[in-house]
Amino acid sequence: MIIVMRAGASREEIDNVVARVARDGFTAHLSAGAERTIIGLIGDDRPLDRQLYEVLPGVEKAMAVLKPFKLASREFSAADTLVNIKGVVIGGLPVVLMAGPCAVESRSQLLEIAHAVKAGGAQVLRGGAFKPRSSPYSFQGLGEEALKILAEAREQTGLPVITEIMTPEHLPMVCDYVDMLQIGARNMQNYELLKGVGRTTLPVLLKRGLMATMEELLMSAEYILAAGNRQVVLCERGIRTFEKYTRNTTDINAIPVLKHLTHLPVMLDPSHGTGTARYVLPVARAGIAAGADGLLVEAHCNPEEALSDGGQSLRPEQYSELVRQVRVIARAVERS
Ligand code: PEP
Ligand code: MN
């Protein structure tokens, strides 16, 4: 259930409702809008009597949220959530561009591509330190050494950095080095990990699982929100279908549907969505045209030698061209 306070409700009235919610055995989550505060009641699924809350001073109305995701729903926050990664804001008018290699392979490899994607227009640098590979014999990532290299790249380029976190045990170490945490598709339903990142203060990019419905993605976001972290960005990265000519099938539908259902920003990863470098640019354009708040793109200076995902990685000049074209599309849809 959510409780909508009257415009101009006093601090005391809000505190009073929060105290009542706690007494009833629920956790109150506040969404302070420009005009009014909304209080979300999170707890068990027992039916609640709206009127018990509607009689409290300062309350305009109480309503049941019928969707299984509550804090992620549009009902909870009419305004779009803005997620701030060291000053780079996702969810507003400007489209945010994140790029970098699938994996950090060496200091020179990362620094070279970091400078190249920055020159091309990227605002956030990506790079995997712990890689969820389909085979245990494939390159698993450099671990903490990669995190140190990412931190050095941030120092040199000024770009905030994002990396994938695979287990809650790594959280203290990873949080020391990076500016945003990525939950990979394979871990979208790793609930202990979701709760763990929910207890941090770093923004989180949550990728859609290979076989996950949009509702399952939103329920995973709900885990992070319910644990207290409101800085969540959703990322469509393609789902598994019967189609074989692409690695995954980019679900463009997910962008407008998620934007309708949730106040959280929605990004697109056209690299994993297609799996082939030549298809990344057209699908990136489509994503921005469909309303994505940003793009996560893999880039590498020598894709043919990449230790992971070389086939879908753009060379620096291809990445620069992608940014140029995406900016044109962004302006056409009244973004920047
Ligand atoms: C990645 O971003 O390199 C990655 C592993 O993506 P996903 O989790 O979407 O497969
Ligand atoms: Mn990858």
Side-chain angles (χ1 to χ4, degrees):
M1 187 161 80
I2 60 175
I3 299 168
V4 181
M5 301 299 293
R6 288 208 183 93
S10 69
R11 186 71 248 174
E12 204 187 340
E13 288 169 334
I14 294 170
D15 289 346
N16 181 44
V17 174
V18 169
R20 171 62 192 264
V21 166
R23 248 190 298 142
D24 290 346
F26 294 90
T27 311
H29 288 258
L30 267 64
S31 165
E35 275 211 345
R36 59 187 82 236
T37 294
I38 293 176
I39 302 171
L41 271 69
I42 300 297
D44 56 43
D45 291 336
R46 86 187 105 114
L48 284 166
D49 184 352
R50 280 184 7 232
Q51 285 175 340
L52 291 178
Y53 295 94
E54 283 178 338
V55 294
L56 297 175
V59 172
E60 182 169 298
K61 61 180 173 187
M63 32 183 213
V65 178
L66 297 176
K67 299 194 181 73
F69 47 92
K70 315 285 179 194
L71 303 175
S73 73
R74 275 275 174 206
E75 285 93 331
F76 181 61
S77 172
D80 289 338
T81 286
L82 300 178
V83 172
N84 193 322
I85 310 146
K86 283 268 180 68
V88 177
V89 178
I90 311 186
L93 271 189
V95 161
V96 169
L97 302 172
M98 303 184 183
C102 180
V104 178
E105 299 165 8
S106 69
R107 181 171 176 272
S108 59
Q109 170 253 7
L110 186 77
L111 293 177
E112 197 184 352
I113 191 65
H115 285 285
V117 294
K118 170 155 191 194
Q123 296 145 283
V124 177
L125 175 66
R126 63 151 288 154
F130 299 94
K131 294 305 302 177
R133 303 305 299 278
S134 304
S135 164
Y137 310 120
S138 301
F139 176 60
Q140 302 286 307
L142 297 179
E144 188 166 10
E145 187 190 339
L147 299 174
K148 291 183 179 158
I149 297 170
L150 281 166
E152 183 180 355
R154 170 181 52 210
E155 225 163 84
Q156 286 196 15
T157 60
L159 297 177
V161 297
I162 174 169
T163 204
E164 178 168 353
I165 174 101
M166 295 219 296
T167 163
E169 289 156 41
H170 287 161
L171 272 169
M173 183 209 326
V174 173
C175 290
D176 264 356
Y177 291 103
V178 304
D179 307 299
M180 186 175 203
L181 299 168
Q182 175 175 323
I183 302 281
R186 290 158 194 78
N187 271 315
M188 188 203 85
Q189 287 176 313
N190 180 340
Y191 299 116
E192 288 309 311
L193 183 59
L194 298 174
K195 287 186 239 173
V197 300
R199 288 190 290 263
T200 73
T201 54
L202 284 185
V204 179
L205 182 81
L206 176 64
K207 298 185 92 177
R208 181 177 181 183
L210 279 72
M211 305 284 278
T213 63
M214 293 182 227
E215 188 161 296
E216 286 163 341
L217 172 62
L218 289 162
M219 291 310 289
S220 291
E222 190 78 11
Y223 263 91
I224 304 172
L225 300 169
N229 189 341
R230 299 281 184 82
Q231 294 279 285
V232 180
V233 177
L234 305 175
C235 184
E236 164 62 37
R237 47 77 74 206
I239 50 175
R240 184 163 287 179
T241 68
F242 49 79
E243 181 50 61
K244 294 265 179 54
Y245 280 117
T246 50
R247 180 177 178 183
N248 292 295
T249 297
T250 304
D251 183 7
I252 288 287
N253 296 356
I255 298 165
V257 172
L258 291 170
K259 294 290 293 177
H260 173 69
L261 292 171
T262 180
H263 50 88
L264 299 172
V266 179
M267 289 188 45
L268 175 67
D269 171 352
S271 304
H272 293 84
T274 61
T276 304
R278 73 169 72 229
Y279 306 135
V280 171
L281 169 55
V283 173
R285 287 192 307 241
I288 296 304
D293 294 302
L295 296 172
L296 178 70
V297 171
E298 288 186 341
H300 199 291
C301 291
N302 301 100
E304 55 288 342
E305 279 165 32
L307 297 181
S308 71
D309 288 350
Q312 65 192 35
S313 297
L314 301 187
R315 297 171 194 284
E317 62 279 11
Q318 294 173 311
Y319 182 68
S320 304
E321 179 58 14
L322 177 144
V323 174
R324 191 188 69 75
Q325 294 196 21
V326 155
R327 294 284 178 212
V328 174
I329 303 283
R331 284 194 294 278
V333 293
E334 293 167 5
R335 308 286 292 261
S336 59

mmCIF file of all heavy atoms in Angstrom, residues 101-103 126 128 131-132 164 182-187 207-208 210 237 247-248 269 272 296 298 308-309 312, ligand 1:
data_model
loop_
_atom_site.group_PDB
_atom_site.id
_atom_site.type_symbol
_atom_site.label_atom_id
_atom_site.label_comp_id
_atom_site.label_asym_id
_atom_site.label_seq_id
_atom_site.Cartn_x
_atom_site.Cartn_y
_atom_site.Cartn_z
ATOM 1 N N PRO A 101 35.858 -1.990 -22.356
ATOM 2 C CA PRO A 101 35.981 -3.392 -22.744
ATOM 3 C C PRO A 101 35.103 -4.291 -21.904
ATOM 4 O O PRO A 101 34.725 -3.930 -20.793
ATOM 5 C CB PRO A 101 37.454 -3.689 -22.473
ATOM 6 C CG PRO A 101 37.817 -2.775 -21.353
ATOM 7 C CD PRO A 101 37.005 -1.524 -21.559
ATOM 8 N N CYS A 102 34.819 -5.478 -22.438
ATOM 9 C CA CYS A 102 34.086 -6.471 -21.657
ATOM 10 C C CYS A 102 34.878 -6.728 -20.381
ATOM 11 O O CYS A 102 34.343 -6.634 -19.286
ATOM 12 C CB CYS A 102 33.932 -7.754 -22.472
ATOM 13 S SG CYS A 102 33.036 -9.026 -21.595
ATOM 14 N N ALA A 103 36.181 -7.025 -20.542
ATOM 15 C CA ALA A 103 37.027 -7.327 -19.380
ATOM 16 C C ALA A 103 38.263 -6.449 -19.371
ATOM 17 O O ALA A 103 38.787 -6.084 -20.430
ATOM 18 C CB ALA A 103 37.456 -8.785 -19.426
ATOM 19 N N ARG A 126 33.344 1.364 -18.516
ATOM 20 C CA ARG A 126 33.032 0.027 -18.019
ATOM 21 C C ARG A 126 34.254 -0.877 -18.177
ATOM 22 O O ARG A 126 35.129 -0.620 -18.992
ATOM 23 C CB ARG A 126 31.844 -0.610 -18.735
ATOM 24 C CG ARG A 126 32.027 -0.872 -20.219
ATOM 25 C CD ARG A 126 31.187 -2.071 -20.685
ATOM 26 N NE ARG A 126 31.743 -3.319 -20.198
ATOM 27 C CZ ARG A 126 31.046 -4.436 -20.002
ATOM 28 N NH1 ARG A 126 29.762 -4.460 -20.261
ATOM 29 N NH2 ARG A 126 31.646 -5.529 -19.571
ATOM 30 N N GLY A 128 35.150 -5.262 -16.906
ATOM 31 C CA GLY A 128 34.904 -6.368 -15.997
ATOM 32 C C GLY A 128 36.174 -6.790 -15.275
ATOM 33 O O GLY A 128 37.241 -6.930 -15.884
ATOM 34 N N LYS A 131 34.619 -11.955 -14.206
ATOM 35 C CA LYS A 131 33.778 -12.246 -15.368
ATOM 36 C C LYS A 131 32.961 -13.520 -15.189
ATOM 37 O O LYS A 131 33.521 -14.570 -14.888
ATOM 38 C CB LYS A 131 34.665 -12.413 -16.626
ATOM 39 C CG LYS A 131 35.393 -11.165 -17.076
ATOM 40 C CD LYS A 131 34.479 -9.977 -17.311
ATOM 41 C CE LYS A 131 33.383 -10.194 -18.336
ATOM 42 N NZ LYS A 131 32.482 -9.000 -18.444
ATOM 43 N N PRO A 132 31.653 -13.435 -15.401
ATOM 44 C CA PRO A 132 30.802 -14.632 -15.324
ATOM 45 C C PRO A 132 30.850 -15.374 -16.656
ATOM 46 O O PRO A 132 29.990 -15.199 -17.503
ATOM 47 C CB PRO A 132 29.408 -14.024 -15.082
ATOM 48 C CG PRO A 132 29.466 -12.691 -15.770
ATOM 49 C CD PRO A 132 30.894 -12.235 -15.786
ATOM 50 N N GLU A 164 31.243 -5.218 -12.795
ATOM 51 C CA GLU A 164 30.272 -6.226 -12.334
ATOM 52 C C GLU A 164 30.701 -6.831 -11.004
ATOM 53 O O GLU A 164 31.871 -7.155 -10.800
ATOM 54 C CB GLU A 164 30.126 -7.335 -13.391
ATOM 55 C CG GLU A 164 29.159 -8.413 -12.928
ATOM 56 C CD GLU A 164 28.731 -9.389 -14.009
ATOM 57 O OE1 GLU A 164 29.063 -9.197 -15.201
ATOM 58 O OE2 GLU A 164 28.047 -10.375 -13.667
ATOM 59 N N GLN A 182 27.604 -3.200 -11.197
ATOM 60 C CA GLN A 182 26.784 -3.844 -12.225
ATOM 61 C C GLN A 182 26.391 -5.228 -11.728
ATOM 62 O O GLN A 182 27.237 -5.984 -11.264
ATOM 63 C CB GLN A 182 27.608 -3.943 -13.513
ATOM 64 C CG GLN A 182 26.929 -4.694 -14.645
ATOM 65 C CD GLN A 182 27.773 -4.629 -15.925
ATOM 66 O OE1 GLN A 182 28.403 -3.603 -16.213
ATOM 67 N NE2 GLN A 182 27.798 -5.700 -16.689
ATOM 68 N N ILE A 183 25.092 -5.522 -11.827
ATOM 69 C CA ILE A 183 24.624 -6.888 -11.579
ATOM 70 C C ILE A 183 24.396 -7.492 -12.962
ATOM 71 O O ILE A 183 23.593 -6.972 -13.746
ATOM 72 C CB ILE A 183 23.295 -6.914 -10.787
ATOM 73 C CG1 ILE A 183 23.420 -6.187 -9.445
ATOM 74 C CG2 ILE A 183 22.799 -8.350 -10.620
ATOM 75 C CD1 ILE A 183 24.083 -6.963 -8.353
ATOM 76 N N GLY A 184 25.094 -8.570 -13.258
ATOM 77 C CA GLY A 184 25.015 -9.176 -14.582
ATOM 78 C C GLY A 184 23.742 -9.975 -14.766
ATOM 79 O O GLY A 184 23.048 -10.332 -13.798
ATOM 80 N N ALA A 185 23.455 -10.265 -16.032
ATOM 81 C CA ALA A 185 22.240 -11.000 -16.384
ATOM 82 C C ALA A 185 22.129 -12.308 -15.603
ATOM 83 O O ALA A 185 21.055 -12.670 -15.122
ATOM 84 C CB ALA A 185 22.248 -11.280 -17.882
ATOM 85 N N ARG A 186 23.260 -13.010 -15.470
ATOM 86 C CA ARG A 186 23.221 -14.323 -14.800
ATOM 87 C C ARG A 186 22.945 -14.211 -13.309
ATOM 88 O O ARG A 186 22.589 -15.190 -12.664
ATOM 89 C CB ARG A 186 24.546 -15.057 -15.044
ATOM 90 C CG ARG A 186 24.693 -15.499 -16.487
ATOM 91 C CD ARG A 186 26.142 -15.721 -16.884
ATOM 92 N NE ARG A 186 26.252 -15.822 -18.343
ATOM 93 C CZ ARG A 186 26.232 -14.770 -19.172
ATOM 94 N NH1 ARG A 186 26.112 -13.534 -18.689
ATOM 95 N NH2 ARG A 186 26.310 -14.928 -20.468
ATOM 96 N N ASN A 187 23.152 -13.062 -12.761
ATOM 97 C CA ASN A 187 22.945 -12.864 -11.321
ATOM 98 C C ASN A 187 21.706 -12.032 -10.994
ATOM 99 O O ASN A 187 21.515 -11.635 -9.852
ATOM 100 C CB ASN A 187 24.174 -12.183 -10.703
ATOM 101 C CG ASN A 187 25.199 -13.206 -10.247
ATOM 102 O OD1 ASN A 187 24.848 -14.210 -9.622
ATOM 103 N ND2 ASN A 187 26.455 -12.964 -10.573
ATOM 104 N N LYS A 207 21.069 -5.687 -14.764
ATOM 105 C CA LYS A 207 20.804 -6.182 -16.114
ATOM 106 C C LYS A 207 19.713 -7.253 -16.103
ATOM 107 O O LYS A 207 19.599 -8.022 -15.149
ATOM 108 C CB LYS A 207 22.098 -6.717 -16.734
ATOM 109 C CG LYS A 207 23.157 -5.607 -16.864
ATOM 110 C CD LYS A 207 24.400 -6.076 -17.580
ATOM 111 C CE LYS A 207 24.298 -5.809 -19.064
ATOM 112 N NZ LYS A 207 25.558 -6.201 -19.759
ATOM 113 N N ARG A 208 18.947 -7.278 -17.160
ATOM 114 C CA ARG A 208 17.859 -8.254 -17.276
ATOM 115 C C ARG A 208 18.434 -9.653 -17.503
ATOM 116 O O ARG A 208 19.354 -9.829 -18.308
ATOM 117 C CB ARG A 208 16.969 -7.852 -18.449
ATOM 118 C CG ARG A 208 15.777 -8.766 -18.659
ATOM 119 C CD ARG A 208 14.919 -8.243 -19.792
ATOM 120 N NE ARG A 208 13.759 -9.062 -20.013
ATOM 121 C CZ ARG A 208 12.879 -8.848 -20.981
ATOM 122 N NH1 ARG A 208 13.058 -7.823 -21.809
ATOM 123 N NH2 ARG A 208 11.830 -9.623 -21.120
ATOM 124 N N LEU A 210 18.796 -13.527 -18.760
ATOM 125 C CA LEU A 210 18.673 -14.116 -20.107
ATOM 126 C C LEU A 210 17.262 -14.610 -20.404
ATOM 127 O O LEU A 210 16.818 -14.607 -21.541
ATOM 128 C CB LEU A 210 19.629 -15.316 -20.243
ATOM 129 C CG LEU A 210 21.096 -15.054 -20.542
ATOM 130 C CD1 LEU A 210 21.796 -14.467 -19.337
ATOM 131 C CD2 LEU A 210 21.783 -16.326 -20.971
ATOM 132 N N ARG A 237 19.392 -6.149 -22.072
ATOM 133 C CA ARG A 237 20.619 -6.625 -22.725
ATOM 134 C C ARG A 237 20.341 -7.819 -23.638
ATOM 135 O O ARG A 237 21.243 -8.571 -23.972
ATOM 136 C CB ARG A 237 21.706 -6.940 -21.703
ATOM 137 C CG ARG A 237 21.257 -7.751 -20.533
ATOM 138 C CD ARG A 237 21.084 -9.216 -20.798
ATOM 139 N NE ARG A 237 22.348 -9.907 -20.926
ATOM 140 C CZ ARG A 237 22.524 -11.032 -21.612
ATOM 141 N NH1 ARG A 237 21.502 -11.607 -22.222
ATOM 142 N NH2 ARG A 237 23.697 -11.609 -21.683
ATOM 143 N N ARG A 247 23.299 -13.195 -30.938
ATOM 144 C CA ARG A 247 23.593 -13.881 -29.675
ATOM 145 C C ARG A 247 22.363 -13.911 -28.771
ATOM 146 O O ARG A 247 22.044 -14.895 -28.130
ATOM 147 C CB ARG A 247 24.745 -13.137 -28.992
ATOM 148 C CG ARG A 247 25.173 -13.727 -27.676
ATOM 149 C CD ARG A 247 26.367 -12.941 -27.119
ATOM 150 N NE ARG A 247 26.776 -13.463 -25.826
ATOM 151 C CZ ARG A 247 27.735 -12.947 -25.082
ATOM 152 N NH1 ARG A 247 28.410 -11.873 -25.520
ATOM 153 N NH2 ARG A 247 28.050 -13.461 -23.932
ATOM 154 N N ASN A 248 21.695 -12.750 -28.709
ATOM 155 C CA ASN A 248 20.441 -12.622 -27.951
ATOM 156 C C ASN A 248 19.471 -11.837 -28.824
ATOM 157 O O ASN A 248 19.848 -11.368 -29.892
ATOM 158 C CB ASN A 248 20.685 -11.882 -26.636
ATOM 159 C CG ASN A 248 21.529 -12.695 -25.670
ATOM 160 O OD1 ASN A 248 21.111 -13.742 -25.195
ATOM 161 N ND2 ASN A 248 22.741 -12.233 -25.393
ATOM 162 N N ASP A 269 21.913 -2.254 -23.562
ATOM 163 C CA ASP A 269 23.231 -2.791 -23.911
ATOM 164 C C ASP A 269 23.089 -3.482 -25.267
ATOM 165 O O ASP A 269 22.672 -4.639 -25.340
ATOM 166 C CB ASP A 269 23.667 -3.785 -22.819
ATOM 167 C CG ASP A 269 24.916 -4.571 -23.195
ATOM 168 O OD1 ASP A 269 25.375 -4.476 -24.359
ATOM 169 O OD2 ASP A 269 25.422 -5.304 -22.331
ATOM 170 N N HIS A 272 25.657 -6.929 -25.932
ATOM 171 C CA HIS A 272 25.196 -8.278 -25.606
ATOM 172 C C HIS A 272 23.854 -8.567 -26.277
ATOM 173 O O HIS A 272 23.521 -9.718 -26.539
ATOM 174 C CB HIS A 272 25.116 -8.472 -24.085
ATOM 175 C CG HIS A 272 26.472 -8.448 -23.434
ATOM 176 N ND1 HIS A 272 27.082 -7.274 -23.080
ATOM 177 C CD2 HIS A 272 27.342 -9.433 -23.132
ATOM 178 C CE1 HIS A 272 28.273 -7.546 -22.573
ATOM 179 N NE2 HIS A 272 28.458 -8.842 -22.585
ATOM 180 N N LEU A 296 25.063 1.071 -22.834
ATOM 181 C CA LEU A 296 26.264 0.412 -22.318
ATOM 182 C C LEU A 296 26.852 -0.348 -23.499
ATOM 183 O O LEU A 296 26.214 -1.274 -24.018
ATOM 184 C CB LEU A 296 25.875 -0.559 -21.198
ATOM 185 C CG LEU A 296 26.990 -1.373 -20.560
ATOM 186 C CD1 LEU A 296 27.902 -0.476 -19.712
ATOM 187 C CD2 LEU A 296 26.411 -2.487 -19.683
ATOM 188 N N GLU A 298 30.297 -2.198 -25.486
ATOM 189 C CA GLU A 298 31.644 -2.746 -25.350
ATOM 190 C C GLU A 298 32.549 -2.243 -26.475
ATOM 191 O O GLU A 298 32.158 -2.220 -27.648
ATOM 192 C CB GLU A 298 31.588 -4.284 -25.333
ATOM 193 C CG GLU A 298 31.010 -4.767 -24.013
ATOM 194 C CD GLU A 298 31.024 -6.271 -23.818
ATOM 195 O OE1 GLU A 298 31.144 -7.014 -24.821
ATOM 196 O OE2 GLU A 298 30.885 -6.699 -22.661
ATOM 197 N N SER A 308 37.605 -11.554 -24.017
ATOM 198 C CA SER A 308 36.184 -11.904 -23.979
ATOM 199 C C SER A 308 35.388 -10.915 -24.825
ATOM 200 O O SER A 308 35.709 -9.722 -24.865
ATOM 201 C CB SER A 308 35.651 -11.960 -22.545
ATOM 202 O OG SER A 308 35.555 -10.701 -21.989
ATOM 203 N N ASP A 309 34.393 -11.450 -25.499
ATOM 204 C CA ASP A 309 33.438 -10.658 -26.279
ATOM 205 C C ASP A 309 34.057 -9.760 -27.358
ATOM 206 O O ASP A 309 33.507 -8.683 -27.673
ATOM 207 C CB ASP A 309 32.535 -9.834 -25.335
ATOM 208 C CG ASP A 309 31.528 -10.711 -24.595
ATOM 209 O OD1 ASP A 309 31.411 -11.907 -24.956
ATOM 210 O OD2 ASP A 309 30.875 -10.220 -23.667
ATOM 211 N N GLN A 312 31.827 -8.696 -30.467
ATOM 212 C CA GLN A 312 30.780 -7.661 -30.343
ATOM 213 C C GLN A 312 31.361 -6.316 -29.910
ATOM 214 O O GLN A 312 30.617 -5.373 -29.655
ATOM 215 C CB GLN A 312 29.707 -8.114 -29.337
ATOM 216 C CG GLN A 312 30.210 -8.246 -27.904
ATOM 217 C CD GLN A 312 29.227 -8.967 -26.992
ATOM 218 O OE1 GLN A 312 28.534 -9.884 -27.428
ATOM 219 N NE2 GLN A 312 29.130 -8.551 -25.748
HETATM 220 C C1 PEP B 1 28.969 -7.812 -19.512
HETATM 221 O O1 PEP B 1 28.444 -6.682 -19.395
HETATM 222 O O2 PEP B 1 30.131 -7.990 -19.899
HETATM 223 C C2 PEP B 1 28.134 -8.997 -19.243
HETATM 224 C C3 PEP B 1 28.657 -10.138 -18.795
HETATM 225 O O3 PEP B 1 26.839 -8.785 -19.515
HETATM 226 P P1 PEP B 1 25.550 -9.697 -19.210
HETATM 227 O O4 PEP B 1 25.537 -9.891 -17.737
HETATM 228 O O5 PEP B 1 24.430 -8.848 -19.726
HETATM 229 O O6 PEP B 1 25.725 -10.965 -19.983
#
